[in-house]
Amino acid sequence: MKLRKVTAASAVALVLALTATACGGDDNKDDSGSSSSSGGGKIKVGIKYDQPGLGLKKPDGSFAGFDVDVATYVAKQLGYEPDQIEFVETKSADRENALARGDVKFIAATYSINDERKQKVDFAGPYLLAHQDLLVKTDSKIAKGDDLNGKNLCSVTGSTSAQNVQKSIAPKANLKEVSSYSECIAGLQNGSVDAVTTDDSILAGFASQDQYKGKFKLAGLKLSNENYGVGVKKGDTATVEKINKALEKMVSDGSWQKAVDANFGPAGYKNEAAPKIGVIVPNAS
């Protein structure tokens, strides 16, 4: 009789243990250590911290920008409230590694889709079609690429945007390379440079800052096509599909255009229509 009691008790304990495992545990966990809102967890999302209008960490610790708005909307569709999002700084050189390591679930950080990157990560989107452009003072006479010949052009050290202008658009431009776009904008303001070049969305973000409103304008040149996508760990097709559905909804319910207007509008940014999911606009050969 004693043996039977012990066996029965063990059986009950085993059933309880199996039930607890089935009902609880880490079923809601993803490969970035996040868990769904039903489990009260958080999701880690990669953004830029230093790009006004796109991804900016403000002095009070909050975040703002178009990429932040996109990331927040997408996370909501994945089941996370804003207070469950942990924004992680992902600099350009570390984006692929951050996804591969599982540091973040996805990245929205002016992440242009190209063949080289698609070998290492998967992309949802695109969610914005940007173009290389020039930022100049509002009274500037620079209206086309070759107007830069003999002028001082600023961009970040190693920037392909600056090299593109210097090699094929305005080979006689005086290129000044600095460590940050903030330095270029300061140079544009004090007159030491005549134009700044990079993606129009990035330029519009800087020009939309309160201290620069009305001082700068975009030249409106489309020197390249930059298809911004949401980066996801290679092979995570389920998340890609979910994010694509979220992006489509963001466009259809008007939230996408609202975010564009709020973040880029003050600079007179003339955005392209929302791109269709999976359609990449190539550069002219």
Side-chain angles (χ1 to χ4, degrees), residues 124-154:
Y127 63 89
L128 184 72
L129 176 59
H131 306 284
Q132 182 186 341
D133 201 355
L134 305 175
L135 189 70
V136 296
K137 285 189 174 181
T138 52
D139 60 355
S140 174
K141 303 300 182 183
I142 296 174
K144 55 186 186 299
D146 59 12
D147 288 340
L148 287 170
N149 285 316
K151 300 292 194 302
N152 295 320
L153 173 67
C154 186

Side-chain angles (χ1 to χ4, degrees), residues 32-48:
S32 66
S34 303
S35 60
S36 71
S37 58
S38 60
K42 291 184 177 291
I43 185 170
K44 294 181 179 180
V45 179
I47 61 169
K48 294 289 183 67

Side-chain angles (χ1 to χ4, degrees), residues 94-250:
D94 195 46
R95 287 179 296 203
E96 288 83 12
N97 290 332
L99 288 169
R101 291 191 302 259
D103 295 346
V104 294
K105 185 64 174 176
F106 65 84
I107 293 176
T110 60
Y111 207 176
S112 295
I113 301 171
N114 61 39
D115 290 339
E116 181 180 354
R117 288 171 178 163
K118 286 193 291 184
Q119 299 300 313
K120 301 177 181 179
V121 303
D122 286 337
F123 284 99
Y127 63 89
L128 184 72
L129 176 59
H131 306 284
Q132 182 186 341
D133 201 355
L134 305 175
L135 189 70
V136 296
K137 285 189 174 181
T138 52
D139 60 355
S140 174
K141 303 300 182 183
I142 296 174
K144 55 186 186 299
D146 59 12
D147 288 340
L148 287 170
N149 285 316
K151 300 292 194 302
N152 295 320
L153 173 67
C154 186
S155 195
V156 169
T157 301
S159 166
T160 55
S161 297
Q163 294 169 7
N164 181 38
V165 172
Q166 195 175 47
K167 290 180 179 179
S168 60
I169 305 299
K172 295 182 180 180
N174 302 314
L175 177 61
K176 179 179 181 180
E177 294 182 285
V178 296
S179 61
S180 71
Y181 287 113
S182 296
E183 292 182 60
C184 284
I185 300 299
L188 184 61
Q189 185 176 31
N190 66 32
S192 62
V193 299
D194 301 298
V196 181
T197 187
T198 187
D199 296 357
D200 52 7
S201 58
I202 297 174
L203 296 173
F206 276 103
S208 295
Q209 292 182 286
D210 289 339
Q211 66 267 40
Y212 299 133
K213 286 181 181 178
K215 296 180 179 180
F216 306 137
K217 66 180 181 180
L218 292 167
L221 308 181
K222 297 180 179 180
L223 303 175
S224 72
N225 294 318
E226 306 296 335
N227 300 269
Y228 290 176
V230 177
V232 177
K233 187 175 183 178
K234 189 69 176 177
D236 189 358
T237 56
T239 298
V240 170
E241 291 174 1
K242 291 177 182 178
I243 294 176
N244 279 336
K245 289 180 180 178
L247 294 174
E248 289 175 340
K249 183 177 179 181
M250 187 176 186

Side-chain angles (χ1 to χ4, degrees), residues 37 40-45 61-63 68-88 106:
S37 58
K42 291 184 177 291
I43 185 170
K44 294 181 179 180
V45 179
S62 63
F63 300 91
V68 174
D69 289 345
V70 169
T72 301
Y73 189 99
V74 167
K76 174 71 173 180
Q77 299 305 306
L78 295 181
Y80 298 88
E81 297 299 326
D83 63 356
Q84 293 177 291
I85 302 172
E86 181 181 340
F87 287 117
V88 178
F106 65 84

Side-chain angles (χ1 to χ4, degrees), residues 2-17:
K2 186 176 180 181
L3 180 59
R4 286 182 179 179
K5 287 181 180 179
V6 172
T7 303
S10 300
V12 170
L14 178 60
V15 171
L16 289 174

